[in-house]
């Protein structure tokens, strides 16, 4: 904690790992980038690690290598622990190393030369599924890691984030069965969210030092409009745009209270309003179609669970899930809440309309094989149709995708061959 507090607020760290001297720390910024930084517990300004582009956290491998993942390949690159500089070329160590979301990968190295990693395919594609889990139709899928899947109000288009060199927003036309790229920038554009009329898409543009909320026509025509600029780089994600067009709901990381949920009014002074705050983690918020209720995930009990409270006042609170849950979604008439159980099972809870909130017991629909599992730090791997009878799912192609742990007892010997 001392090390993290010592870093300037402009670089919010995540996925830290110590260098061999025990005083300096590798980390990646909270904004999704391929950059890696080195900070210090003495509070000196962090510096970017030149020449390294990593999709994952990095770690030091004895006697002098930097280990990290790029495009599912585990790489080892000569690294001087004293100067914190790389040299030479990166050498592949293992292929098909599983990544579980932006910045996370399944590998570890000991100080005695043992390396372990999880191998398998993390390739996924989009398709329609019915409530029993039967695959109904494939959808064109942009190349790269996809997440943040959201369906347009008319059900004809899908917006998502796809990672190439960085993250961009793409639109899938379900009628023409085609894809088109919506955003083009050196910064990452993530968290697409549909306008109530389905003609525009809002998204977050993130760098290591700032965040902006922008909106653009679904067709890609015209210029981008900036809704909010120079938000803190601790910004987590844009989650919803209310049906009445009055609010955008998003997450932010507060150093005192953790991950909180906020609403940004789109009229008046546009001063943000806290909706859910606490010392726990509150994420993945969605507003009911009638604008009265907010569903979200909280870890306050020690396990991720789905809760509902009134919106935007925040009065009352009800727990919907009974054994863990993430990624809540409303049916378009508000009569069901869908969410993922912690084992990846798609669940549904019936909602009884009325002056107060009433939810029935959740029941399972089918198991999803989502990239990284349901707890991966993505906004969403699925979206329900308006009537809740079909689901667009970003599903892994292989039933046994994450089945093989590999342990290499002397990985340096293999590297030198």
């Amino acid at each position: 904690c001392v090390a993290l507090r010592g870093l300037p607020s402009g670089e919010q760290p995540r996925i830290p790992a110590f260098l061999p001297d025990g005083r300096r720390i590798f980390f990646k910024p909270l904004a999704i980038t391929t950059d890696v930084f080195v900070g210090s517990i003495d509070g000196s300004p962090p510096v970017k690690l030149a020449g390294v582009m990593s999709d994952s956290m990095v770690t030091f491998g004895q006697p002098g290598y930097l280990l990290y993942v790029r495009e599912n390949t585990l790489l080892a690159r000569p690294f001087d622990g004293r100067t914190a500089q790389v040299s030479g070329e990166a050498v592949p160590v293992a292929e098909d190393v599983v990544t579980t979301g932006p910045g996370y990968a399944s590998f570890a190295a000991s100080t005695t030369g043992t390396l372990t990693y999880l191998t398998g395919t993390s390739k996924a594609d989009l398709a329609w599924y019915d409530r029993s889990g039967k695959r109904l139709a494939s959808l064109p899928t942009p190349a790269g890691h996809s997440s943040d899947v959201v369906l347009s109000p008319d059900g004809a288009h899908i917006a998502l984030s796809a990672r190439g060199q960085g993250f961009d927003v793409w639109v899938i036309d379900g009628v023409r069965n085609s894809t088109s790229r919506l955003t083009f920038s050196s910064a990452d554009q993530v968290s697409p969210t549909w306008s109530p009329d389905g003609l525009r898409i809002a998204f977050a543009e993130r760098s290591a030092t700032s965040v902006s909320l922008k909106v653009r026509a679904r067709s890609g025509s015209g210029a981008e409009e900036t809704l909010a600029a120079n938000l803190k780089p601790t910004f987590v994600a844009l989650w919803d745009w209310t049906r009445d067009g009055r609010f955008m709901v998003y997450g932010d990381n507060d150093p005192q209270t953790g991950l909180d949920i906020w609403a940004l009014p789109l009229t008046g002074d546009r001063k943000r309003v806290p909706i859910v705050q606490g010392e726990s983690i509150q994420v993945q918020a969605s507003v009911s179609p009638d604008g009265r209720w907010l569903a979200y995930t909280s870890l306050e009990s020690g396990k991720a669970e789905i809760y509902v409270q009134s919106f935007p006042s925040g009065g009352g609170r009800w727990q919907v899930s009974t054994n863990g849950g993430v990624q809540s979604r409303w049916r378009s008439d508000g009569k069901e809440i869908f969410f993922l159980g912690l084992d990846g099972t798609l669940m549904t809870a019936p909602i009884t309309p009325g002056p107060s909130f009433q939810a029935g017991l959740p029941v399972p629909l089918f198991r999803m094989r989502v990239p990284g599992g349901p707890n991966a730090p993505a906004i969403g791997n699925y979206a329900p149709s308006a009537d809740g009878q079909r689901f667009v799912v970003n599903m892994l192609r292989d039933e046994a995708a994450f089945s093989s742990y590999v342990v290499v007892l002397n990985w340096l010997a293999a590297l030198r061959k």
Side-chain angles (χ1 to χ4, degrees):
C1 293
V2 173
L4 299 186
R5 287 199 300 268
L7 296 172
S9 60
E11 299 293 356
Q12 298 297 326
R14 64 189 182 102
I15 326 179
F18 274 107
L19 273 73
D21 61 13
R23 300 191 60 80
R24 288 173 296 169
I25 303 169
F26 298 117
F27 71 91
K28 292 177 71 69
L30 184 63
I32 301 173
T33 71
T34 57
D35 296 337
V36 178
F37 288 80
V38 177
S40 173
I41 63 174
D42 63 13
S44 58
V47 295
K48 181 179 175 180
L49 189 57
V52 176
M53 295 180 63
S54 174
D55 296 335
S56 74
M57 71 289 193
V58 301
T59 188
F60 183 80
Q62 295 286 2
Y65 287 92
L66 196 67
L67 291 167
Y68 57 97
V69 171
R70 183 70 173 157
E71 296 180 350
N72 297 104
T73 298
L74 179 60
L75 301 171
R77 189 166 183 182
F79 179 79
D80 190 327
R82 295 171 301 172
T83 63
Q85 293 181 341
V86 293
S87 62
E89 298 295 325
V91 179
V93 176
E95 303 290 339
D96 294 326
V97 174
V98 171
T99 58
T100 57
Y104 297 86
S106 301
F107 74 91
S110 74
T111 59
T112 58
T114 300
L115 173 71
T116 183
Y117 56 90
L118 185 60
T119 185
T121 176
S122 57
K123 293 180 180 179
D125 56 14
L126 290 167
W128 282 104
Y129 294 82
D130 67 14
R131 290 175 73 100
S132 70
K134 179 182 177 182
R135 187 180 178 112
L136 302 175
S138 297
L139 289 163
T141 306
H145 173 80
S146 297
S147 61
D148 310 347
V149 178
V150 285
L151 194 63
S152 63
D154 64 2
H157 297 81
I158 301 159
L160 52 82
S161 300
R163 183 179 66 195
Q165 293 298 316
F167 276 85
D168 290 291
V169 175
W170 287 70
V171 178
I172 298 173
D173 188 326
V175 177
R176 298 182 179 180
N177 206 40
S178 62
T179 63
S180 60
R181 183 175 168 182
L182 184 70
T183 63
F184 300 83
S185 174
S186 57
D188 288 320
Q189 287 110 357
V190 295
S191 306
T193 303
W194 289 95
S195 65
D197 61 9
L199 298 179
R200 295 176 295 162
I201 298 174
F203 56 90
E205 183 172 281
R206 304 200 291 201
S207 71
T209 57
S210 67
V211 175
S212 297
L213 296 185
K214 297 188 174 184
V215 64
R216 190 170 189 182
R218 181 192 71 201
S219 64
S221 62
E224 297 175 352
E225 175 190 353
T226 299
L227 301 175
N230 300 318
L231 298 174
K232 294 187 299 182
T234 53
F235 176 97
V236 178
L238 176 62
W239 283 312
D240 206 357
W241 191 337
T242 59
R243 290 278 188 92
D244 59 12
R246 295 175 56 203
F247 297 99
M248 284 189 174
V249 179
Y250 69 96
D252 200 354
N253 187 23
D254 187 283
Q256 302 299 321
T257 61
L259 294 177
D260 298 324
I261 299 170
W262 296 77
L264 177 70
L266 298 180
T267 58
D269 61 6
R270 295 192 177 184
K271 184 178 180 180
R272 71 177 190 165
V273 180
I275 305 299
V276 187
Q277 288 184 300
E279 296 183 357
S280 181
I281 293 174
Q282 288 79 219
V283 292
Q284 300 170 343
S286 59
V287 180
S288 62
D290 63 7
R292 297 179 59 194
W293 312 106
L294 180 86
Y296 63 96
T297 297
S298 175
L299 275 72
E300 64 183 76
S301 69
K303 180 168 63 175
E305 299 281 5
I306 303 296
Y307 296 89
V308 169
Q309 68 178 43
S310 61
F311 180 86
S313 66
R317 196 177 64 145
W318 301 264
Q319 183 174 330
V320 175
S321 59
T322 57
N323 192 30
V326 295
Q327 298 185 27
S328 57
R329 296 287 185 270
W330 294 86
R331 201 170 83 183
S332 66
D333 60 5
K335 294 182 179 180
E336 280 185 290
I337 291 179
F338 303 102
F339 63 91
L340 287 187
L342 301 186
D343 64 351
T345 299
L346 180 64
M347 309 289 292
T348 178
I351 307 301
T352 302
S356 63
F357 181 80
Q358 298 182 55
L361 288 175
V363 295
L365 294 180
F366 64 94
R367 185 120 179 228
M368 293 184 182
R369 301 186 306 276
V370 295
N375 292 310
I379 297 174
N381 297 107
Y382 78 100
S385 62
D387 61 4
Q389 298 305 303
R390 299 187 304 155
F391 303 86
V392 174
V393 184
N394 188 39
M395 187 89 82
L396 291 166
R397 301 171 188 173
D398 185 359
E399 182 72 40
F402 298 162
S403 60
S404 301
Y405 279 97
V406 177
V407 177
V408 183
L409 297 180
N410 188 358
W411 69 272
L412 285 170
L415 187 68
R416 295 176 182 131
K417 289 182 179 179

